[in-house]
Amino acid sequence: MKLRHYLSLFLTLIVSVLMFQRCQPTQELQPAASKDKNRSAKLIGSSGYDVTFLGTSNKVWEYNITRIADNNIEGFSFNLGNCITEADVIDASLYKPNNNDVLEKVNPLTYTKTTDGNGNLILTVDGIGNFSPGKPWKFTFELGFDAYQSVGAVGIVIKGEGNVDMPFGDSMEGPGCAPITGTVSKAACATATPSSYSNVTVTAGPGSLTAVTDGSGNYSISGLRGGTVYTLSITTPDNVASVISDPTPATATVSATTSAIVNFTALTGTVCQNGCSMSQGYYFAKPASQEALSYTYTLGGKVYTLAEARAIWNTSNGKGMLDIKKAFLQASTIILSGSSVQNNATVMAYVNQINTYLLSKPKIEVKPNGTLNVDANSTTTKPIGTAGGEIGKWIQANHCAYSDFYKQFINP
């Protein structure tokens, strides 16, 4: 009886095992991850592989490619932009880690160089075999010249299992088009000594690529396409009389080797041999900051603030302007205009004449009754009044769009 019972249990167990095995899928029915294109694409497109720029000698460019997911890839493509041609790439190499994690060169390596419809060079590597997860492979390519290193110059596409192309995402450093660089200066006239001009917008077209000059007047425009002739222009924060460029016209063609250079000079005046000056109203009548009002300068051996000069300007001219007042204000205007006058000999002779006269006089001040503590018009004061009038005529003929003092203190 017991024997029959144990035999029954044994037969039941055998049947259960056979049925369990029959219910399992065969090897052919097992899901194959390598044939699941959506799964491969998702992993590769998001975090399946890491690509790292290692560095360059400007001829040899090195990158690491690391598998960090379960799927393998069949190849990859590097978009090198349109400043690099097929003839420029003279070699490409791939290195994979051996069992001791030492990189060994894959030989032979199959790679192709093609140019797409936009003129971009595509460097493609196929049939690379199995990537070991977590172990970086190194890919290098060599150019026939020292290329300019540009951020975002290389776009990468991973060729997933089943030859599914997936963009890697953000582009990274590589050989690219060199930028257009240069400086923007300002000067009273074409032959005057220029100074740096900051906050000037430089625009390159076609397109609307822009850059703003720094404190030294320097700019750099990137994101350019090779072989394109760009025309540059500037927009200044101030009104200027004219702009000259070097070269003329202001055009540049970029390449992958050296930056194109275009320099500009903004001219604040129109008559070069004379220099230029702003008129006295810009200094003494327009609203000014407290910093401007406390600015000091010297005339006739006495120190004046801009606030004191403005008080002198605002005194009444009911009986005609006093010679001394006219001379003082016009000479002060030339002093405040500074280097833009370029030491014009005639004008500075009038300023020196006024300065010499005022050396022997007390500091000009406004009295409580609103008048000035100066001599009335006479034959003695007439020569400096005439000098002030001649300065006024010169300013009218050689008026600046702005001066450094006006730009810094009156209308920043």
Side-chain angles (χ1 to χ4, degrees):
M1 195 64 155
K2 287 184 178 181
L3 179 60
R4 212 185 298 175
H5 174 72
Y6 288 130
L7 182 60
S8 176
L9 290 176
F10 177 77
L11 291 174
T12 301
L13 179 61
I14 293 297
V15 171
S16 298
V17 169
L18 291 174
M19 290 183 67
F20 177 81
Q21 289 180 340
R22 185 173 183 179
C23 290
Q24 298 307 302
T26 63
Q27 180 66 32
E28 289 76 20
L29 294 178
Q30 293 287 349
S34 62
K35 296 181 181 179
D36 185 349
K37 294 182 180 180
N38 292 328
R39 181 171 181 270
S40 294
K42 180 180 178 183
L43 289 171
I44 295 169
S46 58
S47 58
Y49 283 80
D50 278 342
V51 181
T52 306
F53 173 65
L54 298 178
T56 181
S57 66
N58 295 107
K59 283 187 178 179
V60 178
W61 301 75
E62 299 184 344
Y63 300 82
N64 266 356
I65 303 176
T66 307
R67 174 181 171 184
I68 57 176
D70 293 335
N71 55 290
N72 194 30
I73 64 174
E74 296 181 0
F76 53 85
S77 296
F78 275 46
N79 185 332
L80 303 185
N82 71 341
C83 270
I84 306 297
T85 68
E86 295 180 32
D88 294 333
V89 179
I90 60 177
D91 192 21
S93 301
L94 185 66
Y95 301 83
K96 68 177 183 179
N98 61 20
N99 293 333
N100 296 319
D101 294 337
V102 177
L103 290 176
E104 294 180 342
K105 189 173 183 178
V106 176
N107 197 7
L109 177 67
T110 301
Y111 71 94
T112 59
K113 299 178 286 184
T114 57
T115 303
D116 68 12
N118 295 318
N120 298 314
L121 172 63
I122 310 299
L123 189 59
T124 301
V125 176
D126 286 313
I128 57 178
N130 184 49
F131 261 65
S132 301
K135 297 181 179 181
W137 292 39
K138 184 168 75 171
F139 174 63
T140 70
F141 58 88
E142 182 179 356
L143 304 178
F145 58 87
D146 289 340
Y148 189 86
Q149 182 174 336
S150 179
V151 176
V154 171
I156 300 169
V157 174
I158 298 292
K159 300 176 73 66
E161 292 176 322
N163 208 32
V164 179
D165 284 356
M166 291 300 301
F168 181 73
D170 294 336
S171 54
M172 61 179 56
E173 288 185 275
C177 297
I180 299 175
T181 63
T183 60
V184 181
S185 305
K186 59 183 174 181
C189 58
T191 59
T193 302
S195 58
S196 58
Y197 202 176
S198 61
N199 296 319
V200 176
T201 300
V202 185
T203 303
S208 297
L209 301 170
T210 61
V212 177
T213 57
D214 60 19
S216 299
N218 299 318
Y219 75 90
S220 178
I221 296 179
S222 56
L224 307 164
R225 293 190 64 81
T228 302
V229 178
Y230 288 91
T231 299
L232 282 76
S233 61
I234 66 172
T235 303
T236 63
D238 319 287
N239 293 324
V240 297
S242 60
V243 175
I244 57 177
S245 67
D246 179 20
T248 301
T251 59
T253 303
V254 300
S255 70
T257 53
T258 56
S259 299
I261 299 175
V262 179
N263 299 319
F264 294 92
T265 302
L267 305 181
T268 59
T270 56
V271 184
C272 233
Q273 64 271 25
N274 289 341
C276 64
S277 172
M278 301 193 77
S279 61
Q280 53 187 316
Y282 281 88
Y283 298 119
F284 307 131
K286 288 186 175 292
S289 65
Q290 191 59 46
E291 182 182 15
L293 294 175
S294 61
Y295 181 84
T296 60
Y297 66 96
T298 301
L299 180 58
K302 288 83 177 175
V303 177
Y304 294 88
T305 65
L306 184 63
E308 290 173 327
R310 286 183 166 224
I312 295 171
W313 159 273
N314 286 321
T315 56
S316 175
N317 297 320
K319 295 182 180 180
M321 182 177 288
L322 294 171
D323 290 330
I324 295 178
K325 177 181 177 180
K326 179 195 299 184
F328 170 82
L329 292 174
Q330 295 289 18
S332 296
T333 298
I334 295 299
I335 292 172
L336 291 172
S337 289
S339 61
S340 66
V341 179
Q342 291 298 306
N343 293 322
N344 180 281
T346 302
V347 173
M348 295 313 297
Y350 290 132
V351 173
N352 291 333
Q353 179 184 350
I354 295 169
N355 184 72
T356 300
Y357 177 87
L358 294 178
L359 283 171
S360 61
K361 302 296 179 179
K363 180 177 179 178
I364 301 174
E365 294 177 328
V366 180
K367 296 188 294 187
N369 64 0
T371 61
L372 297 176
N373 63 333
V374 298
D375 298 333
N377 290 350
S378 65
T379 56
T380 304
T381 64
K382 186 175 181 178
I384 64 165
T386 300
E390 292 300 317
I391 293 175
K393 292 177 184 178
W394 181 88
I395 293 175
Q396 187 174 6
N398 301 279
H399 197 279
C400 287
Y402 74 98
S403 69
D404 287 343
F405 179 87
Y406 178 74
K407 176 69 174 66
Q408 180 178 359
F409 292 107
I410 308 299
N411 186 30

